Amino acid sequence: MIFPWLKGVVGFSRAPMTYTIIFLNIMMFLMTMGPEKDDSSGFFQNKNNLLFTGHLYEQFQQNHPEMLVVPVSKNVDPTSDQYFLWMGAKALRDVQFLKNSSNEKFEGDQVAIVAWKKKISDLVTSFKEKPSAYYGLSSLDKNKMRWVTYQFMHAGFMHLLSNMVFFLIFGTAIELLFGALPLAILYILSGIAGAWGFILITPPTLAPMIGASGALTGLMAFYFVMETKKRIPFFYFISPVDGYFGWIHLPTLLIIPLCFLSDITALISTPANLAGAVAYSAHLGGMLFGFVAAIICRWMSIEPQLIYTPPKDESQITEPEAFR
Amino acid sequence: MVYGDLSDQSGSEKKQVRMAGLQDRLRAFFFDLFIFTPIFSLLLSPLTRQLQEKFYSSPIHADIFFEAIFYVMLVLILTVIAQTLSLYFFAATPGKYFFKLRVESVFHHRLSFMQCLVRSVFWVFEFALFLIPFFEIMSHRHRRAMHDRIAETRVVTLKVDGDPGPHPLEARFFRNMMASFFVLFAFWTFLQIKDLYLSSKQEVEASVPTGGNTDERLCGEVSEKLTEGVQRLDLALARYMTKEIGEDCLKKEIDFVFWTKHKKQYDLAYVAQGYLSEYDHELQNKYWKQACEDTATTNEACQLVSRFISPKQSPLSVPANVRSVAQSNDETQLLPSALRTSLLSEEVLLIQELSKSAKYKDQLKALRQLSLYPGFTDYIQSETVKVFWSMEQKSEARGAYLNSILHLPTEQQRDLASWMCLQQVAVTCGNKSYPACDDLQGLFEGESAVSWSFSSGVALAQAATCRSDGGAVKEIFAQKGFRDLLDKYPPLRSWMQAISPQSPWTKEKKNAELKSLLQQNGVDSVLKEVVLQQLIRQSVSALELEQVYQLIPRSLQSQDQITRLRSQVSMRRQGLKNPTAVAQDRMPASLQEAPRGEP
């Protein structure tokens, strides 16, 4: 494990905006967390029901060739159960199908189809009732406020924690170099760019996008371009044995393989139908914005400078050896 | 001419080389891993995507194995390329560079391209040998593993202090360990090759066509060669009704009809779906209603539904003159056309109705008729045993039982043995010997033990009680399968309390509990029959026996069970008149073989 440590953890007085944004994220998380409502998603995780959905989706595609979003893979035997499981998984990500299937006329077991339509309708309704549907960004509803609110909402504690740890590292570094307001603007605009990437690249889906990771990758890309020539401290951990963990100063360039390439790789290598819980497209959008913003800054000769001057009584505070 | 001391010179050169330490080399390796993994992943991402698509669409796809090997080969090639180039241009990989390590030639410091390539190739090759050659770094005095020695290179550090090399004892320890690992590795490789050979041989044998269904959407247990005029789904439903095939098999056939849009068979598919939903009456009704929705009630499937819902409409209600032909003594004759049905599943239903109505001769004819179709052998064998027993032809029943029990599949063995055990116990409660119960007990023992069913639990518990064997009762309670049954069916627990000699309940309470079981809805008819048998045996006066006799038709619907119990009441009645027999509380052996005739 290795990650950039940059300026490490500094006090609130030196990075007030970073802590404010973290506080907002935590507050938003506390406000929106709560027991998950029972919805129909469990019904569709059952293999037989997923197969059933796959069969109906095939009929839907045959009836509406103009709505075909993702072509069927040529590697699959079109009569096998695997194929229909695949189609079922695809169906549950196809907004057109979910929206229109209630009124569609399907061939087959009409009793089961009526029950299935009720479940699909419940699923769509339950999606709309979740807090993430109010604050998250989805293909169904592109309300302007959601382009901002989604950046402050998280799906779970671990999601929040991982994003905030990285934000603490990069937010602090940027705030110390450029100030509080530029950090806030950068955070919001990177998040908006991430949303743009999500809407543009990810096939329409009911599941709303939430999380600060789009904004975070924007900040990382910005920092990388602005401080390209520097060597920054990285923390590495190979094993708990002495000598196999600690800090090492490496070029900023290493942020690329460690932080960006994995996102791009995941975006390319994940089949569209099997898109997981991570919106890599949003990461890509944020990253692009960060690069462009930094290049513009450099073109305008805005150079990073340590804008914070420590008060006299704090000047005696020593940093770890690795940071000097 | 006197030459200088050459050995001294080499010694002085040796002192200048600062060998890289083990810790730095390991840290450098992990850093290379951190840096190169994302880069290689990105380069191979299209292939990863393709592999994932194939894996999720069909995990047993033959191509996947070869593509995965191709993927690994590409990773190795990329590793060789990346390492060769970085060594050639920087004399270090990125990890080594950051930890101040350099790779140099043993002779002339600057590495040639060939040296870089050879070193990288053998470095990768050492991974294929499960990293064992890397142990040489710990044993070689200059920390040079196989790849370094072949390429004539060494890893040095730019730090002030070089590594002094391993202690001789340490070096010896690692050399011996490496040799041991190589022996183990060779043995493991041999075993793997042997397994691979055996599994490929089995695959070749398994791939020989067996003449079964080629379409995976259909159930392989339903024969492809159908008798003329028999629909495939009808055959599947009929076989499901006789427990010859499982739920999954019938479901597969139903799905095939629906998803391949065989609209003519939709009605029958709805009937079958309804039959499968027997534990959800609301859903069952919906399916059966749907079966009659599109077409008039004249269609076969809809008629079958009406038979399921109301047995009154069965062909048993055909005029008496026709039925008398069916009841003729000519047992070789098949059922008359008036009793025959167009659907095979309806025919099975008829057999079940005939059994419940205690029309055993007709049932035998119907079974004979069913034997014309393939796939009902086990069912016919089991039913024949039951029919013979019910017709009081007990020696034939025993013969048929012994003949068929070993050839049946285990679950059907269990069901037949349970049924037979219950009958034997009902006839002679108080005996110590119940062969069918012993057979049943045997099925639950050993490695290939079958799962417990309700009737098997009742049968074994009843047998243990009738034997008055406290040890046997305890033994049954010790079986996990039986305890699960008690948890699943609360009435079974109440019944066990009421019949167990160890129960703290009084006799009156036990009787009251048994009678309340008869009045409860949802209590299985097998249990009700056993309860009534118990009450018959416990009756000590004609009045008590009369009360039980009145309870029989109120508690049970199957004519077959009612007939059997009434017969037991009449025998008990005779026994009450004959106190010797009453004292023994069992049917006299002479009566066991007495013909009972048609009710």
Side-chain angles (χ1 to χ4, degrees):
Chain A
M1 183 183 69
I2 180 169
F3 58 86
W5 188 247
L6 310 187
K7 307 286 178 189
V9 179
V10 299
F12 177 79
S13 61
R14 294 171 72 186
M17 184 55 76
T18 307
Y19 284 103
T20 307
I21 291 175
I22 290 175
F23 176 74
L24 283 175
N25 274 284
I26 293 172
M27 285 311 291
M28 189 75 166
F29 175 70
L30 293 175
M31 277 162 59
T32 54
M33 71 181 224
E36 278 284 310
K37 275 186 186 174
D38 235 353
D39 59 33
S40 308
S41 52
F43 174 84
F44 294 101
Q45 281 162 13
N46 175 290
K47 187 190 167 192
N48 288 334
N49 297 330
L50 197 61
L51 267 173
F52 191 86
T53 309
H55 279 284
L56 297 187
Y57 189 52
E58 191 195 43
Q59 287 185 27
F60 182 79
Q61 288 205 337
Q62 284 166 357
N63 296 345
H64 305 279
E66 76 283 358
M67 287 187 185
L68 189 68
V69 179
V70 185
V72 180
S73 170
K74 288 174 187 169
N75 297 322
V76 196
D77 171 12
T79 60
S80 65
D81 276 2
Q82 288 295 335
Y83 170 81
F84 288 105
L85 284 173
W86 177 277
M87 291 290 276
K90 248 168 64 169
L92 296 175
R93 287 182 170 80
D94 187 339
V95 178
Q96 299 283 5
F97 174 70
L98 295 173
K99 274 167 78 178
N100 300 313
S101 55
S102 304
N103 303 321
E104 187 75 17
K105 193 168 178 353
F106 294 111
E107 283 277 335
D109 181 348
Q110 291 307 317
V111 176
I113 287 169
V114 169
W116 179 88
K117 281 184 175 175
K118 169 91 175 52
K119 287 284 178 190
I120 272 288
S121 163
D122 289 349
L123 182 73
V124 174
T125 313
S126 74
F127 265 127
K128 287 178 183 168
E129 283 173 356
K130 283 182 179 172
S132 54
Y134 292 112
Y135 303 109
L137 185 75
S138 87
S139 319
L140 282 180
D141 193 343
K142 296 163 194 161
N143 183 307
K144 281 173 191 167
M145 271 313 290
R146 293 177 187 198
W147 288 57
V148 175
T149 52
Y150 95 91
Q151 302 174 30
F152 294 91
M153 202 186 157
H154 289 84
F157 178 71
M158 286 314 291
H159 187 204
L160 177 78
L161 184 73
S162 57
N163 274 353
M164 289 305 108
V165 165
F166 272 85
F167 179 70
L168 185 65
I169 293 166
F170 281 90
T172 307
I174 291 174
E175 192 170 2
L176 287 176
L177 291 171
F178 299 94
L181 192 61
L183 172 70
I185 293 170
L186 204 59
Y187 181 88
I188 298 293
L189 292 184
S190 297
I192 291 172
W196 171 77
F198 173 76
I199 297 287
L200 209 67
I201 300 172
T202 307
T205 167
L206 262 189
M209 180 188 61
I210 50 175
S213 47
L216 196 56
T217 46
L219 296 185
M220 285 157 99
F222 182 81
Y223 183 86
F224 162 70
V225 178
M226 296 304 285
E227 297 278 76
T228 311
K229 291 174 188 169
K230 272 205 165 180
R231 278 192 169 230
I232 52 170
F234 280 77
F235 178 77
Y236 69 93
F237 180 89
I238 297 168
S239 90
V241 178
D242 193 25
Y244 290 94
F245 65 93
W247 279 272
I248 181 171
H249 279 74
L250 297 172
T252 318
L253 195 71
L254 271 179
I255 293 180
I256 290 187
L258 297 178
C259 301
F260 301 146
L261 288 191
S262 49
D263 275 345
I264 300 171
T265 305
L267 187 68
I268 299 173
S269 62
T270 311
N273 316 314
L274 301 171
V278 183
Y280 294 110
S281 50
H283 293 190
L284 200 66
M287 194 192 305
L288 275 177
F289 174 80
F291 278 126
V292 172
I295 289 166
I296 291 171
C297 282
R298 293 196 76 159
W299 179 63
M300 292 168 70
S301 302
I302 300 173
E303 288 298 323
Q305 51 186 337
L306 204 60
I307 59 165
Y308 175 79
T309 318
K312 279 179 188 173
D313 53 335
E314 278 186 30
S315 59
Q316 298 303 315
I317 296 172
T318 54
E319 283 181 313
E321 196 178 336
F323 298 165
R324 285 182 202 160
Chain B
M1 187 179 177
V2 179
Y3 289 97
D5 187 349
L6 294 174
S7 61
D8 276 351
Q9 275 183 9
S10 61
S12 63
E13 191 190 342
K14 196 175 169 184
K15 279 175 193 168
Q16 290 168 8
V17 176
R18 291 193 293 267
M19 301 308 299
L22 199 65
Q23 196 180 55
D24 277 346
R25 288 182 74 169
L26 199 60
R27 286 195 295 190
F29 166 74
F30 279 103
F31 265 72
D32 285 338
L33 208 65
F34 292 141
I35 293 164
F36 283 124
T37 306
I39 297 170
F40 291 173
S41 304
L42 180 66
L43 292 174
L44 297 175
S45 51
L47 193 62
T48 315
R49 183 195 181 101
Q50 196 181 327
L51 263 178
Q52 282 197 57
E53 275 185 359
K54 278 194 181 171
F55 178 77
Y56 286 113
S57 61
S58 174
I60 49 168
H61 207 289
D63 289 352
I64 291 177
F65 178 70
F66 296 107
E67 282 191 20
I69 288 179
F70 178 63
Y71 188 90
V72 173
M73 294 297 291
L74 279 181
V75 171
L76 297 180
I77 290 168
L78 283 175
T79 310
V80 169
I81 293 171
Q83 204 177 93
T84 306
L85 292 179
S86 55
L87 284 178
Y88 185 68
F89 288 109
F90 304 105
T93 59
K96 284 189 173 68
Y97 192 88
F98 295 134
F99 284 98
K100 296 186 167 62
L101 307 179
R102 297 291 182 270
V103 181
E104 61 176 29
S105 168
V106 177
F107 302 117
H108 36 77
H109 299 290
R110 178 83 172 94
L111 289 170
S112 69
F113 184 79
M114 193 49 75
Q115 271 183 307
C116 299
L117 183 65
V118 170
R119 188 184 191 277
S120 306
V121 167
F122 280 92
W123 187 87
V124 165
F125 177 68
E126 282 168 23
F127 274 88
L129 297 176
F130 286 79
L131 306 173
I132 297 170
F134 281 112
F135 279 101
E136 227 178 340
I137 297 173
M138 289 179 260
S139 66
H140 194 273
R141 65 196 174 105
H142 290 148
R143 303 285 186 201
R144 291 173 71 205
M146 186 175 83
H147 56 274
D148 269 330
R149 286 188 290 118
I150 292 173
E152 294 170 332
T153 57
R154 63 186 166 206
V155 184
V156 295
T157 178
L158 301 182
K159 290 176 184 170
V160 180
D161 298 323
D163 187 82
H167 187 276
L169 281 175
E170 188 187 347
R172 194 172 156 191
F173 169 75
F174 280 109
R175 264 200 304 277
N176 290 339
M177 199 169 82
M178 212 161 59
S180 317
F181 279 153
F182 265 120
V183 171
L184 284 175
F185 173 64
F187 183 63
W188 180 84
T189 312
F190 167 74
L191 289 179
Q192 289 299 309
I193 291 171
K194 189 184 152 202
D195 280 358
L196 199 68
Y197 170 72
L198 289 177
S199 61
S200 60
K201 200 176 163 187
Q202 279 173 359
E203 270 175 31
V204 169
E205 283 168 4
S207 64
V208 175
T210 53
N213 290 319
T214 48
D215 196 332
E216 285 185 3
R217 291 173 296 176
L218 294 166
C219 175
E221 292 171 63
V222 180
S223 171
E224 216 171 39
K225 290 174 186 168
L226 296 174
T227 313
E228 202 181 333
V230 175
Q231 294 176 42
R232 198 185 158 86
L233 184 57
D234 181 30
L235 177 65
L237 176 58
R239 292 194 65 198
Y240 177 73
M241 288 166 73
T242 59
K243 296 184 181 173
E244 292 271 358
I245 58 169
E247 186 178 335
D248 289 346
C249 185
L250 178 60
K251 189 85 183 65
K252 219 169 179 182
E253 293 290 330
I254 296 169
D255 285 347
F256 181 80
V257 167
F258 278 131
W259 299 128
T260 52
K261 299 173 189 171
H262 279 69
K263 289 185 183 172
K264 283 184 183 172
Q265 292 189 34
Y266 272 13
D267 297 337
L268 193 57
Y270 284 126
V271 177
Q273 275 283 34
Y275 194 81
L276 280 178
S277 319
E278 58 183 327
Y279 297 110
D280 185 343
H281 289 294
E282 196 184 335
L283 186 63
Q284 190 174 55
N285 285 336
K286 278 181 188 171
Y287 273 116
W288 284 352
K289 200 175 163 192
Q290 189 73 32
C292 300
E293 185 121 296
D294 299 332
T295 47
T297 51
T298 49
N299 81 345
E300 292 168 343
C302 192
Q303 280 174 5
L304 184 60
V305 168
S306 62
R307 294 277 306 279
F308 278 133
I309 294 170
S310 164
K312 285 175 190 169
Q313 294 178 30
S314 77
L316 291 178
S317 56
V318 294
N321 58 341
V322 178
R323 276 165 58 198
S324 65
V325 176
Q327 290 163 9
S328 70
N329 288 328
D330 182 6
E331 289 182 359
T332 56
Q333 193 186 324
L334 296 176
L335 276 180
S337 56
L339 274 181
R340 285 187 204 159
T341 55
S342 52
L343 286 175
L344 209 50
S345 35
E346 202 170 354
E347 206 152 305
V348 172
L349 186 62
L350 173 68
I351 292 171
Q352 291 171 350
E353 284 172 2
L354 288 168
S355 169
K356 281 181 189 168
S357 319
K359 297 191 182 305
Y360 303 121
K361 283 183 180 173
D362 282 348
Q363 194 186 346
L364 267 183
K365 287 175 186 171
L367 283 170
R368 200 166 290 129
Q369 190 159 304
L370 189 67
S371 69
L372 299 175
Y373 302 99
F376 294 96
T377 319
D378 298 337
Y379 173 70
I380 291 169
Q381 282 185 348
S382 302
E383 285 302 301
T384 308
V385 173
K386 292 177 186 174
V387 171
F388 279 141
W389 184 273
S390 304
M391 288 169 75
E392 296 291 338
Q393 298 176 7
K394 293 203 167 60
S395 55
E396 284 89 340
R398 279 191 207 102
Y401 171 79
L402 291 173
N403 190 35
S404 57
I405 191 79
L406 291 176
H407 304 111
L408 292 172
T410 45
E411 293 214 341
Q412 292 192 8
Q413 272 185 35
R414 178 198 63 195
D415 292 345
L416 182 61
S418 305
W419 189 89
M420 200 62 171
C421 171
L422 277 170
Q423 304 312 314
Q424 288 179 346
V425 170
V427 172
T428 59
C429 188
N431 251 358
K432 289 282 179 190
S433 168
Y434 302 112
C437 302
D438 294 339
D439 290 345
L440 183 59
Q441 184 66 47
L443 287 173
F444 294 115
E445 290 162 3
E447 283 180 12
S448 54
V450 292
S451 59
W452 285 71
S453 70
F454 182 79
S455 56
S456 61
V458 172
L460 283 181
Q462 178 75 339
T465 323
C466 276
R467 281 169 171 156
S468 308
D469 186 348
V473 175
K474 275 184 188 169
E475 211 171 276
I476 291 171
F477 269 106
Q479 306 255 14
K480 190 185 173 298
F482 186 73
R483 290 202 307 275
D484 291 345
L485 271 182
L486 290 179
D487 294 340
K488 203 171 171 187
Y489 303 105
L492 191 61
R493 189 179 284 278
S494 313
W495 173 69
M496 283 299 290
Q497 286 268 26
I499 63 164
S500 173
Q502 284 89 19
S503 168
W505 290 359
T506 59
K507 193 185 169 190
E508 288 73 25
K509 176 142 193 208
K510 283 180 177 178
N511 264 341
E513 186 61 36
L514 288 175
K515 283 178 184 168
S516 81
L517 279 173
L518 294 175
Q519 288 158 7
Q520 283 175 30
N521 289 327
V523 176
D524 196 278
S525 64
V526 173
L527 186 59
K528 282 188 175 176
E529 187 180 348
V530 172
V531 167
L532 283 163
Q533 285 168 359
Q534 182 81 13
L535 289 174
I536 292 168
R537 278 196 298 276
Q538 284 176 4
S539 305
V540 286
S541 66
L543 185 65
E544 261 184 78
L545 202 57
E546 189 57 33
Q547 284 173 349
V548 177
Y549 187 84
Q550 298 299 328
L551 277 173
I552 295 170
R554 275 186 258 155
S555 312
L556 295 166
Q557 287 178 346
S558 163
Q559 194 59 42
D560 178 38
Q561 289 176 310
I562 294 172
T563 311
R564 268 202 304 269
L565 285 165
R566 280 181 176 167
S567 160
Q568 283 171 27
V569 168
S570 63
M571 278 184 276
R572 179 72 182 162
R573 206 175 277 145
Q574 286 173 14
L576 283 175
K577 287 172 191 166
N578 178 2
T580 328
V582 176
Q584 287 174 352
D585 191 22
R586 71 191 68 143
M587 187 173 26
S590 58
L591 285 174
Q592 288 180 30
E593 301 297 331
R596 199 173 62 189
E598 197 70 15

